Amino acid sequence: MSRNRNKKVIISGGGTGGHVFPAIAIADALKERLPDVEILFVGAEDRLEMEKVPEAGYRIIGLPVEGFKRKLTFRNIVVVAKLLKSLVISGRIIKEFRPDAVAGVGGYASGPVLRAASRKGIPILIQEHNSFAGLTNKLLAKRAKKICVAFEGMEKYFPGEKITLTGNPVRKEIKEMKETNLKTEGYNYFGLVKNRKIMLVLGGSLGARTINEGVMNNLEMIRKSDIQILWQCGQYYHEEAKQAVNDLALKNVILADFISRMDLAYAVADIVICRAGAITIAELCHAGKPSILVPSPNVAEDHQTKNAMALTGKSAAIHLPDREAVEKMIPLAFNLLNDISRIKEMSVNVSKLAIENSAGKVAEEIIALMGD
């Protein structure tokens, strides 16, 4: 192991929890294998990673980068200017940190950093979460030495000889939650009543409009029930949701803009309502939780629907189209909570789909790229 001491790795990307937490899981797996490895994160300024990465004990540098707007707007001129500035900063980071390998996990920041690294001859690795490859990763594929994927059939996007099926890394605490009994801790942590059914609603780290509206439009139905709702509404919707809950003086709704202890949230939940992002899917599989999946319609090639169908095709989840969610989401969830046999069947089926040790597999690929 001494020959691998003092190695340096940059992990780049972020923007949402679906990028940030897998990146941290990969870093943790690297540290387990190479305790002396030096890891630097590079993310986007003012995004989730700038808070969560330091909390996990890692150093991070932010780039002034943001995504292109889909419609024609002058804002894209600013986006281009920020991208050019980020390329310059990325080159400086590579020169000063001198990494042995760079891993990109998707998100705005990964493009400039991986491009800068490849131009210096530093081996780069791409971790593609989805069944549909993102634009940044497709552009970087020719430069990458290794591409880690979570779905079969990714040869249509990437050179087959570079692909390794690793699955999607999930947070260590979620991966290990089945080995511990966290329910009592979860009840106390969130202030929930034991022996009452619990619905976990995940409106995303920023906010998923349709899911949040689906809850808000059915608060009177929720108020009359004995079901408890643990609701992460996202920062964009927090004030509006808090006002709606307070107006009805709801005692059976626990509202948060962001849930940091997702292991406890999954532990207490009987069912989960959420989008169908690839990392969320991976977490549901590891947690063994039945779910109602409401795929976002605002993603490339409708890949969240493809993610959802991978579960519904194996009777491991329920797919609810976004256009139907506001009206049908909560009534459908109530019906599911009353169908104990279906909940048990879905839990067994979704657990079978978990790919074990994904973060470790990605870490091993990074270590292989660094060589002696």
Side-chain angles (χ1 to χ4, degrees):
M1 187 62 71
S2 61
R3 63 189 176 91
N4 286 320
R5 295 177 72 87
N6 303 319
K7 294 292 188 181
K8 294 183 176 183
V9 176
I10 288 178
I11 299 177
S12 181
T16 66
H19 292 114
V20 176
F21 296 117
I24 293 171
I26 293 168
D28 290 343
L30 277 169
K31 275 289 188 182
E32 288 177 4
R33 288 155 176 78
L34 300 177
D36 297 309
V37 70
E38 188 175 346
I39 298 173
L40 173 66
F41 280 78
V42 180
E45 289 178 349
D46 302 322
R47 299 306 294 259
L48 185 69
E49 58 265 30
M50 302 307 293
E51 174 188 352
K52 296 303 173 184
V53 168
E55 284 181 4
Y58 297 103
R59 186 161 69 96
I60 186 168
I61 298 174
L63 299 178
V65 64
E66 62 180 85
F68 283 95
K69 311 306 174 188
R70 294 192 177 192
K71 59 184 179 180
L72 192 62
T73 169
F74 284 110
R75 182 66 193 174
N76 279 334
I77 297 174
V78 177
V79 173
V80 171
K82 287 186 172 185
L83 176 60
L84 294 174
K85 184 177 181 181
S86 296
L87 284 166
V88 173
I89 296 171
S90 296
R92 191 181 308 139
I93 292 170
I94 295 296
K95 182 179 180 181
E96 293 175 0
F97 187 70
R98 297 170 61 195
D100 297 285
V102 177
V105 297
Y108 307 140
S110 63
V113 179
L114 267 65
R115 181 175 175 82
S118 68
R119 292 179 68 178
K120 292 289 186 181
I122 297 166
I124 65 173
L125 174 146
I126 293 170
Q127 209 267 317
E128 175 56 63
H129 301 152
N130 290 298
S131 57
F132 175 84
L135 178 60
T136 297
N137 282 349
K138 284 193 285 187
L139 292 174
L140 290 165
K142 290 182 180 179
R143 298 172 180 265
K145 297 290 185 183
K146 182 64 66 173
I147 302 170
C148 297
V149 301
F151 294 87
E152 302 277 2
M154 296 301 286
E155 292 83 3
K156 58 180 174 285
Y157 304 114
F158 303 126
E161 69 276 7
K162 296 183 178 182
I163 293 175
T164 298
L165 182 65
T166 59
N168 277 321
V170 299
R171 286 170 268 193
K172 184 178 181 181
E173 60 268 25
I174 292 172
K175 183 176 64 175
E176 296 176 348
M177 60 170 286
K178 283 187 176 180
E179 301 169 12
T180 55
N181 186 7
L182 297 177
K183 272 201 168 185
T184 299
E185 185 181 351
Y187 291 137
N188 294 334
Y189 182 85
F190 294 112
L192 294 160
V193 179
K194 293 182 181 180
N195 302 320
R196 288 175 61 184
K197 293 174 182 177
I198 297 170
M199 180 194 310
L200 173 62
V201 181
L202 300 176
S205 55
L206 301 177
R209 181 180 60 82
T210 307
I211 290 178
N212 288 324
E213 287 183 358
V215 178
M216 283 188 278
N217 285 12
N218 289 278
L219 286 177
E220 187 62 32
M221 180 181 183
I222 292 168
R223 185 182 69 82
K224 294 177 180 177
S225 76
D226 61 355
I227 291 170
Q228 299 178 98
I229 313 291
L230 179 55
W231 179 18
Q232 176 185 279
C233 63
Q235 64 184 42
Y236 293 160
Y237 294 88
H238 190 229
E239 290 304 316
E240 180 184 0
K242 183 166 66 173
Q243 186 66 51
V245 170
N246 289 342
D247 285 348
L248 288 175
L250 294 174
K251 302 298 184 184
N252 59 334
V253 176
I254 306 298
L255 177 69
D257 61 339
F258 183 83
I259 297 174
S260 57
R261 289 300 305 272
M262 280 302 302
D263 56 333
L264 298 182
Y266 281 129
V268 299
D270 293 290
I271 67 169
V272 182
I273 299 175
C274 55
R275 290 301 197 191
I279 301 304
T280 300
I281 295 288
E283 290 188 347
L284 291 170
C285 293
H286 281 276
K289 292 297 170 178
S291 61
I292 296 173
L293 300 175
V294 185
S296 171
N298 305 311
V299 294
E301 298 295 313
D302 197 25
H303 68 255
Q304 284 204 7
T305 295
K306 296 180 177 68
N307 293 345
M309 298 309 287
L311 267 63
T312 57
K314 293 181 169 59
S315 300
I318 296 171
H319 169 223
L320 180 64
D322 185 83
R323 64 184 179 277
E324 301 176 16
V326 172
E327 179 184 351
K328 297 182 179 179
M329 187 181 80
I330 294 300
L332 180 62
F334 277 28
N335 287 337
L336 178 59
L337 281 168
N338 289 322
D339 193 341
I340 303 302
S341 62
R342 190 175 187 189
I343 284 178
K344 288 181 179 179
E345 178 191 15
M346 290 170 67
S347 179
V348 170
N349 291 341
V350 77
S351 295
K352 293 176 182 177
L353 301 177
I355 299 178
E356 300 296 334
N357 194 32
S358 294
K361 291 174 182 175
V362 177
E364 293 289 355
E365 295 294 341
I366 294 172
I367 292 169
L369 287 185
M370 292 191 288
D372 294 341

